[in-house]
Amino acid sequence: MSVLSNSIEQFIKELMEQSGEVSLQRNELAQHFACAPSQINYVLATRFTLDQGYVIVSKRGGGGYIHVRRLECDGENLLYEYACNQIGGQLPKSKAHAMIERLKGENIINEREGNLLRAAVDACAMPMETQGEGLRARMLRDMLTTLITAIDPCEEE
Amino acid sequence: MSVLSNSIEQFIKELMEQSGEVSLQRNELAQHFACAPSQINYVLATRFTLDQGYVIVSKRGGGGYIHVRRLECDGENLLYEYACNQIGGQLPKSKAHAMIERLKGENIINEREGNLLRAAVDACAMPMETQGEGLRARMLRDMLTTLITAIDPCEEE
DNA sequence: CTATTAAGGTCAAAGAAAGTCAAAATAATC
DNA sequence: GATTATTTTGACTTTCTTTGACCTTAATAG
């Protein structure tokens, strides 16, 4: 039962224990577990997904890194629900607009943020629609994800 | 961190702290960081671009120098400038990022808004579309335009 | 005026990460 | 035992950084 991926997963989770985040060096970690570097990507891709409540940011090149952060977020969160469950491969504009309105109504985003989301969503309409909806879905999901990630809430005071 | 370029970037920014400008000797600086002189050019070229709000003037030969100045700019004007003049038919991701950083630096948008813009801009990159850049340009322009329109400024904290 | 010296500029190659993808190897399931 | 799903690996790609060899420009000493 000694699946490598499980060990790596555990290891990373322990590193994140206190602060809820960690910065990794892919090659270093791979060396520590004596495995292929891409194994690390596999672990991240299968055990640290957004669905599972993690956000990953990385940079290539000299001084590169992989940063993993755990979202502290109840499943109740509407942003989370939208980003993970509601937005599929395709997303009609009307549905996107409805979501944005709802988020505004719930005071999860403010007016300005709503405007930004709407502008982005609408801009995705023009090219060949076949690809357009996939792009729109991906984009709105990514945008909502950044809002989950954000530490500070949208309310200005 | 721990990357030379970051240290040099920080160093220069500290020198500029008070007056918003600084005059450097390339060789001297390179010596201070024990690196190739052209490393300084690399840092300037990647972290002190016009898009990021810096102007660089230099002179060769005896008594040569490199002068770096940070541009200050009114918020509405910068948005206007970007939306109307800077964003053409095509917009490379790097330039979009630089603009977003600048807007954040000038407190025209806050962290959350910057994240939204970045997510949107990045999402336009994925398919192999040749006109991906056209889409990105159009989208960022539309988003910035909504910020101009908005009445209330982005209050944070 | 010319030669020398003292700057800074350019560019491409090498180095240092991380990403992708699909084939091979295991493990699970029926 | 055969089929399907998951893991592991490795070759190749992309991105960012660092260096070095060579080029251009300006000041100044003869």
Side-chain angles (χ1 to χ4, degrees):
Chain A
M1 251 322 173
S2 69
V3 180
L4 221 201
S5 290
N6 291 340
S7 312
I8 298 175
E9 176 189 1
Q10 270 324 107
F11 187 79
I12 294 175
K13 285 185 173 164
E14 274 161 32
L15 289 180
M16 298 177 63
E17 193 71 25
Q18 303 94 347
S19 60
E21 62 185 344
V22 66
S23 220
L24 309 169
Q25 301 284 130
R26 190 181 75 151
N27 289 339
E28 191 180 282
L29 192 52
Q31 208 160 359
H32 182 255
F33 283 97
C35 64
S38 55
Q39 176 82 33
I40 307 302
N41 295 87
Y42 176 73
V43 172
L44 293 174
T46 56
R47 282 119 155 120
F48 293 86
T49 66
L50 180 58
D51 286 349
Q52 290 160 316
Y54 296 91
V55 170
I56 295 178
V57 179
S58 67
K59 207 183 103 182
R60 307 185 185 188
Y65 56 80
I66 301 179
H67 200 90
V68 186
R69 165 130 56 129
R70 185 176 56 233
L71 302 175
E72 67 301 315
C73 156
D74 44 0
E76 303 301 298
N77 193 318
L78 188 57
L79 280 170
Y80 192 85
E81 166 65 14
Y82 278 168
C84 293
N85 305 324
Q86 292 302 118
I87 302 178
Q90 302 278 291
L91 180 68
K93 198 199 277 196
S94 56
K95 189 169 177 188
H97 282 179
M99 285 179 175
I100 295 169
E101 282 313 303
R102 170 93 192 278
L103 289 169
K104 246 170 52 185
E106 303 272 350
N107 271 317
I108 292 166
I109 60 176
N110 62 27
E111 186 72 28
R112 262 167 77 101
E113 290 161 354
N115 289 340
L116 285 179
L117 290 172
R118 203 173 311 105
V121 155
D122 289 353
C124 290
M126 304 188 74
M128 241 2 255
E129 301 306 331
T130 46
Q131 194 84 315
E133 297 217 320
L135 172 64
R136 188 186 299 137
R138 185 153 31 76
M139 204 187 55
L140 185 57
R141 183 168 44 237
D142 288 354
M143 293 179 84
L144 296 188
T145 303
T146 76
L147 292 181
I148 299 175
T149 306
I151 319 100
D152 55 318
C154 80
E155 283 321 310
E156 54 260 62
E157 64 249 40
Chain B
M1 279 297 170
S2 86
V3 175
L4 224 199
S5 290
N6 293 150
S7 310
I8 297 175
E9 175 188 1
Q10 269 323 107
F11 186 79
I12 295 176
K13 284 186 173 163
E14 274 161 31
L15 290 179
M16 299 177 63
E17 192 72 25
Q18 300 94 350
S19 61
E21 61 185 344
V22 67
S23 220
L24 309 169
Q25 300 287 129
R26 189 181 76 151
N27 289 339
E28 188 181 285
L29 191 52
Q31 208 159 358
H32 182 255
F33 282 96
C35 65
S38 54
Q39 177 82 32
I40 307 302
N41 295 86
Y42 175 73
V43 172
L44 293 174
T46 55
R47 280 115 155 123
F48 294 87
T49 66
L50 182 56
D51 290 337
Q52 288 162 317
Y54 296 92
V55 170
I56 295 179
V57 179
S58 66
K59 211 184 84 172
R60 307 185 184 189
Y65 56 81
I66 301 178
H67 200 89
V68 186
R69 183 161 57 96
R70 186 177 55 234
L71 300 174
E72 312 282 345
C73 175
D74 163 75
E76 297 275 320
N77 285 343
L78 189 55
L79 281 171
Y80 187 85
E81 167 67 14
Y82 278 168
C84 296
N85 304 326
Q86 290 302 117
I87 301 178
Q90 303 275 290
L91 179 68
K93 196 201 277 196
S94 57
K95 188 168 178 185
H97 282 179
M99 286 179 174
I100 295 169
E101 281 311 301
R102 173 95 195 276
L103 289 169
K104 244 172 53 184
E106 299 279 349
N107 275 317
I108 294 162
I109 61 176
N110 62 27
E111 186 73 30
R112 264 168 76 101
E113 291 160 352
N115 289 339
L116 284 180
L117 292 172
R118 203 175 310 106
V121 155
D122 288 354
C124 293
M126 315 205 71
M128 66 301 151
E129 264 104 319
T130 346
Q131 97 270 50
E133 298 218 320
L135 171 63
R136 187 186 298 137
R138 186 155 30 77
M139 205 188 54
L140 186 57
R141 185 167 42 237
D142 288 354
M143 292 179 85
L144 297 186
T145 303
T146 77
L147 291 181
I148 297 177
T149 308
I151 319 98
D152 55 319
C154 81
E155 288 315 317
E156 61 248 83
E157 83 239 293

